[in-house]
Amino acid sequence: MTDKAQTLILEGIPVSPGLAEGAIHLQHTLLGPIDTPEPVGQGGVEEEFSRLDAATASISNDLLALATRVEKEIDTRLSGVFEAHQLMANDPSLREELRREIAENLISAGSAVKTVFLRWEKRFLLMESQIARDKSDDMHDVAIRLRNALAGITVHPLDRIPHGCVLAVSRLLPSDTVFLASRSIAAVLLEHGSVASHAALFAREMGLPCISKLPNLLSTASNGAWALVDADTGTVTFHPREQQKEIFRKKVEDKERSYAYARERAAIPATTKDGITVSVLANVCCNEDTKKAMLNGAKGVGLYRMEQAYLGCVMPPGTDELLNEMRWTLEAAKGRPVIVRLLDIGADKPLPFIRFLAESNPSLGRRGIRLLREYPELLKTHLRAVLELSREFDVRVLVPMVTLPEDVAVVKKCLTELGAELDISPLPRLGAMIETPAAALSARKLAPHVDFLSFGTNDLTQYAFAADRENAAVEQYFDDASDVIFRLMQATHEDVPEMPLSVCGELAGRPEHIPRLLQCGIRTLSVAPALVPMVKEAIRKSTCGKPANKRG
Ligand code: PEP
Ligand code: MG
């Protein structure tokens, strides 16, 4: 492509931030070669059954190995995706359906996989919840793996991807993303894929700039065309002019310079211009995260999501298992405050060992503490593990999805009883997540039961705007930096001025909003490990305008 080609700008949704440039590598399909539908005679049916069983066993081993690798190298939560794929591949009803397809239609195992998986994928796509729809990607991924195993294909379609390119594809499946982890590409552009999809999660964890929902990307982009990718704003410029390249490179340099400066000062406390020191903690998922957070100057862990230890488990984990998992994940933060949030599981993120909760509106149903109140044994098991952890770590407990004072009172009672049983004193401090407008406006009633409050701005926005946080179709309604959210925080602070307030939702990691958060009385921010230095720098440039509360 020559410099004379027309400059073109496409706008999409930023999925994983960052700035990058490179030549476009267009990939029309990542599906790999597909064997043609193949009839088999009656006598071949048994052989197809055996081929199918062998392929399933082989991909199961691969998936478990992949899960272990991802857990070590990337993230525990993400390794759960491959454990789930392994469970999907071995689902008895899926196996039954595949065998029926072979036997009744006298077709090869490969052809049966294509038909049956397409059927399942469509079922998921028709479901209402975005989480269920994202499952169609998972089905697709498992299908490709199985068909490739049946066809003896071991080469991944991205095997020949050039170093440093900008990959343009229709959609990205979880295993494609892991594959990309070992290739040094500059950025990914997608036609489809929500911010909450597994692929998006991978891209963010790997720090790979990624923009999604770029309209007509595959028909617009051309192979080899130069592209400037601004995944901070969701803009991609094809065939940029020299001047546009210069401006972009200057932006990259500025960003790198300010990041390097912030990294150098990471260990220094974050004190505002008017002398108030703000705690910057980190949201962590795995052992690597905690190490990275501490190196980046985090004062401790502000959010450990307990569900990480549960996802992918077929049986409920016991106290010892949970304790070991938390010890390993939080190891680098020993001696510093660590906030463990109790299990925040909802009806649309079911645990395999809890009976299916048929609810027409799962995010307004039994989620977080509501579910724990219905399953007190589940609450006790992990609370016991958290209490055991508090013998070795400076633990605080956080209750998710609080709406009523009883939601925290129940946990306090349980904590007190278990503490006496285990002879633990003092008990960890207790906090409530403020994720519903009702909780934000009832701080006075929550206050007698808790020691601190932490705003989960992701859910607070979802519930304030009645906009599903995972549904890209209502994205324009989801504005977590809106006045509405700040006013809710301000009201909480005015109602309980002495109460330590923190923010652990995504909003805390956006430097441009930090001055306003501080003015709403927030004195603790918990952000992704990589963001800690920049957030501390933003605090240093801000003014609180008020004295810190006494208990902060
Ligand atoms: C939030 O809702 O802002 C939050 C931090 O919790 P999660 O994202 O885990 O729901
Ligand atoms: Mg939440």
Side-chain angles (χ1 to χ4, degrees):
M1 202 48 62
T2 68
D3 268 3
K4 295 199 179 65
Q6 188 74 37
T7 298
L8 182 78
I9 297 178
L10 284 190
E11 305 245 351
I13 292 172
V15 153
S16 171
L19 304 172
E21 63 177 306
I24 291 287
H25 178 80
L26 211 53
Q27 189 86 39
H28 276 279
T29 171
L30 295 183
L31 303 189
I34 294 172
D35 52 346
T36 45
E38 202 182 46
V40 291
Q42 194 71 49
V45 168
E46 280 304 322
E47 195 187 328
E48 291 307 302
F49 283 177
S50 320
R51 287 183 63 229
L52 183 65
D53 288 345
T56 308
S58 143
I59 72 161
S60 288
N61 289 337
D62 291 352
L63 283 164
L64 289 179
L66 186 58
T68 314
R69 209 190 90 205
V70 171
E71 179 167 1
K72 273 208 203 104
E73 293 171 16
I74 310 178
D75 184 326
T76 329
R77 198 171 26 151
L78 300 178
S79 69
V81 173
F82 295 105
E83 281 160 5
H85 284 194
Q86 196 261 351
L87 291 176
M88 269 182 194
N90 286 284
D91 187 311
S93 54
L94 178 67
R95 181 172 185 259
E96 240 349 273
E97 204 170 319
L98 285 166
R99 289 169 79 97
R100 230 181 9 252
E101 197 71 30
I102 296 172
E104 285 174 6
N105 299 321
L106 296 178
I107 55 171
S108 71
S111 308
V113 166
K114 185 177 178 193
T115 320
V116 171
F117 272 80
L118 263 181
R119 213 153 46 218
W120 279 55
E121 227 186 297
K122 279 192 187 136
R123 261 179 235 158
F124 282 120
L125 276 175
L126 288 173
M127 290 188 187
E128 241 178 61
S129 105
Q130 181 70 29
I131 290 178
R133 285 201 299 275
D134 284 341
K135 260 211 159 63
S136 71
D137 273 359
D138 295 310
M139 278 325 273
H140 202 78
D141 213 346
V142 175
I144 291 170
R145 211 172 264 283
L146 201 49
R147 285 173 60 81
N148 283 350
L150 281 162
I153 295 164
T154 51
V155 179
H156 192 284
L158 289 178
D159 232 358
R160 278 175 222 102
I161 189 166
H163 173 87
C165 73
V166 171
L167 177 67
V169 275
S170 171
R171 76 207 268 214
L172 207 56
L173 300 171
S175 56
D176 299 327
T177 330
V178 170
F179 192 85
L180 292 177
S182 55
R183 304 290 185 278
S184 48
I185 66 163
V188 180
L189 306 176
L190 303 173
E191 248 177 11
H192 308 285
S194 80
V195 176
S197 66
H198 293 317
L201 215 73
F202 275 95
R204 282 197 291 273
E205 290 296 333
M206 292 182 320
L208 188 62
C210 178
I211 305 176
S212 181
K213 299 214 183 270
L214 287 160
N216 306 317
L217 170 68
L218 296 195
S219 50
T220 312
S222 46
N223 242 334
W226 202 255
L228 305 178
V229 180
D230 184 340
D232 291 344
T233 60
T235 313
V236 54
T237 310
F238 298 103
H239 311 294
R241 300 283 155 236
E242 274 316 308
Q243 198 193 4
Q244 285 169 307
K245 284 188 193 168
E246 274 167 32
I247 295 172
F248 186 82
R249 285 170 193 162
K250 172 91 175 47
K251 198 169 167 185
V252 174
E253 261 174 37
D254 288 350
K255 195 168 167 177
E256 279 168 2
R257 200 173 309 113
S258 53
Y259 192 73
Y261 180 71
R263 274 293 309 269
E264 273 168 30
R265 291 158 46 90
I268 304 170
T271 304
T272 59
K273 288 201 274 193
D274 48 349
I276 291 168
T277 298
V278 176
S279 293
V280 181
L281 309 175
N283 297 350
V284 302
C285 295
C286 59
N287 174 280
E288 278 303 311
D289 266 0
T290 316
K291 282 194 212 151
K292 187 170 169 188
M294 299 308 124
L295 282 176
N296 277 349
K299 203 179 155 198
V301 169
L303 182 63
Y304 168 79
R305 295 170 163 103
M306 185 57 109
E307 51 278 13
Q308 284 155 215
Y310 279 78
L311 292 177
C313 291
V314 184
M315 296 295 288
T319 299
D320 288 345
E321 216 175 313
L322 291 169
L323 180 60
N324 286 334
E325 171 71 31
M326 286 189 288
R327 261 195 201 123
W328 166 242
T329 302
L330 300 167
E331 197 183 25
K334 226 173 192 169
R336 298 162 186 250
V338 295
I339 302 181
V340 177
R341 186 179 73 186
L342 302 179
L343 198 54
D344 183 18
I345 224 84
D348 61 343
K349 281 189 271 173
L351 291 174
F353 46 85
I354 287 192
R355 77 184 154 79
F356 176 69
L357 304 170
E359 293 184 312
S360 55
N361 204 338
S363 25
L364 302 182
R366 281 161 288 179
R367 192 196 146 175
I369 185 58
R370 301 174 183 187
L371 187 87
L372 297 177
R373 289 181 67 179
E374 188 162 321
Y375 290 89
E377 282 310 314
L378 188 62
L379 170 64
K380 277 189 199 155
T381 307
H382 67 289
L383 209 45
R384 227 180 239 120
V386 177
L387 279 166
E388 290 291 356
L389 188 78
S390 76
R391 296 186 200 272
E392 304 160 38
F393 288 75
D394 179 8
V395 172
R396 284 118 214 238
V397 179
L398 190 54
V399 187
M401 196 56 192
V402 168
T403 324
L404 305 174
E406 298 88 85
D407 290 337
V408 260
V410 164
V411 177
K412 193 165 190 176
K413 182 164 176 281
C414 192
L415 199 60
T416 312
E417 285 167 5
L418 288 176
E421 188 187 295
L422 299 171
D423 199 16
I424 288 176
S425 171
L427 289 173
R429 284 191 240 166
L430 185 64
M433 286 288 283
I434 302 297
E435 300 177 286
T436 61
L441 300 176
S442 347
R444 277 199 201 120
K445 289 193 175 142
L446 297 175
H449 308 283
V450 296
D451 304 294
F452 65 98
L453 300 175
S454 185
F455 288 96
T457 47
N458 312 334
D459 275 313
L460 186 58
T461 309
Q462 152 163 276
Y463 294 120
F465 285 89
D468 184 346
R469 62 192 261 192
E470 294 182 20
N471 185 350
V474 290
E475 215 168 45
Q476 74 270 34
Y477 293 96
F478 187 97
D479 181 5
D480 63 349
S482 140
D483 232 28
V484 170
I485 303 303
F486 287 106
R487 286 180 68 190
L488 283 168
M489 290 188 201
Q490 183 68 39
T492 307
H493 177 49
E494 279 167 15
D495 284 351
V496 287
E498 301 298 311
M499 179 67 73
L501 298 181
S502 59
V503 175
C504 61
E506 297 294 312
L507 180 65
R510 306 226 292 279
E512 68 274 26
H513 300 298
I514 286 174
R516 187 131 187 226
L517 287 175
L518 300 181
Q519 277 148 27
C520 290
I522 309 293
R523 293 293 178 267
T524 301
L525 297 170
S526 189
V527 302
L531 300 179
V532 172
M534 291 304 274
V535 165
K536 288 181 92 166
E537 218 27 50
I539 293 168
R540 293 184 190 114
K541 290 181 192 143
S542 307
T543 313
C544 285
K546 282 186 205 158
N549 60 52
K550 289 178 199 148
R551 291 164 73 192

